[in-house]
Amino acid sequence: MDLTAIDFPDICWRYGVFYCIRTGTGRDKKYCPWSGVKTALGEIEQKIWCQIAEALIERRGESPLLKCLVEWKTAHNYAHISKEEIRKEALQLHVARLFDNPLWADFVPFNRKYRPDALKSAHLVTVINECCKMPGEVTQEQIDHALNGTIACPCCGRWSLFHFCEEQMENEIGMEMTPQ
Ligand SMILES: [Zn+2]
C-alpha cells in the first residue's frame, strides 16, 4: 500500500468488524475468523491496519509520541489487557489524535506528563467531583459536554457530579466585584 497517499483520517478506526469465513464443504468445511477495522478506506484486516498505522506514525516522526501512549496505557491498564491489545489501543488513540482532543478524558493528565506545551492553549478548569472530593483539572470542553451534570472525574475517571473549585469561584467573584 502506498503510504504517501494515506493520512491519519483515512485509517481512523470507526469500529471493529468480525466475520466467520466458511471455506470448503461437507467434511472439509472450516470456519475461519476474520477481524477487521472499518475505516474511510473500507474494511482492513486488523493486523494489516496495525502495520499501516505503525508505518504512518513512523513516517511522520511520531514514534516517540506512540511510545508515550503505550506507556500511558500500560500504566492505566485497569482491564488487564495483553501487551498486544495495549499497543492496538495506543495505535487507535494515536490515529484518532486524541492527544489533541480536549474532550479526551485523559487530555489533561496525559499532556501534563508528556506534552506540557499542548496545554498552553487549553481551557483548563479546576473542579471537584463528588466521588473523590479532590480538586483536579479538566477542560472547558469536557464541562460543555457534561452528561446530566456529570463529567469524568479527573482523579478516578468515574462519571460523577462536579462543582467548580471554590478557590476559582472566589477569584471569579472577586474579578466581577472589582470596580472598573
Ligand atoms: Zn473520582
Side-chain angles (χ1 to χ4, degrees):
M1 201 177 284
D2 180 16
L3 267 181
T4 53
I6 292 179
D7 199 1
F8 289 111
D10 299 325
I11 57 162
C12 201
W13 182 300
R14 291 184 185 168
Y15 50 86
V17 286
F18 183 82
Y19 299 113
C20 237
I21 298 168
R22 198 182 69 183
T23 56
T25 50
R27 271 202 324 207
D28 299 325
K29 200 153 62 179
K30 275 186 193 151
Y31 290 95
C32 200
W34 189 90
S35 305
V37 184
K38 177 74 179 168
T39 71
L41 293 178
E43 287 176 6
I44 303 171
E45 191 181 352
Q46 243 184 60
K47 268 188 192 158
I48 308 282
W49 182 88
C50 288
Q51 286 168 9
I52 296 172
E54 296 265 7
L56 184 56
I57 288 163
E58 199 181 320
R59 211 187 130 77
R60 296 292 170 91
E62 293 182 351
S63 297
L65 184 51
L66 175 63
K67 213 176 146 207
C68 295
L69 284 167
V70 171
E71 193 182 291
W72 181 261
K73 278 287 185 189
T74 306
H76 300 88
N77 183 13
Y78 305 118
H80 303 291
I81 57 174
S82 68
K83 266 188 168 176
E84 201 182 326
E85 284 288 311
I86 285 178
R87 188 146 192 105
K88 193 175 78 187
E89 286 193 4
L91 287 172
Q92 289 176 322
L93 287 174
H94 196 127
V95 169
R97 312 201 76 70
L98 277 183
F99 38 75
D100 285 332
N101 186 343
L103 284 177
W104 182 37
D106 289 339
F107 178 82
V108 179
F110 177 81
N111 285 318
R112 180 76 70 213
K113 182 161 187 199
Y114 298 106
R115 305 162 76 223
D117 281 354
L119 291 179
K120 278 185 184 159
S121 56
H123 311 114
L124 299 180
V125 183
T126 304
V127 295
I128 296 179
N129 277 51
E130 274 197 343
C131 49
C132 294
K133 299 190 169 54
M134 289 274 289
E137 283 180 310
V138 296
T139 61
Q140 183 61 46
E141 288 83 351
Q142 283 165 16
I143 289 170
D144 292 344
H145 285 76
L147 276 180
N148 298 325
T150 66
I151 58 170
C153 170
C155 304
C156 72
R158 262 183 299 225
W159 284 72
S160 65
L161 292 169
F162 71 99
H163 58 85
F164 296 100
C165 190
E166 267 172 42
E167 197 177 37
Q168 188 167 348
M169 273 169 71
E170 275 167 22
N171 284 343
E172 277 172 15
I173 292 164
M175 277 195 293
E176 275 167 26
M177 283 165 66
T178 309
Q180 295 287 318

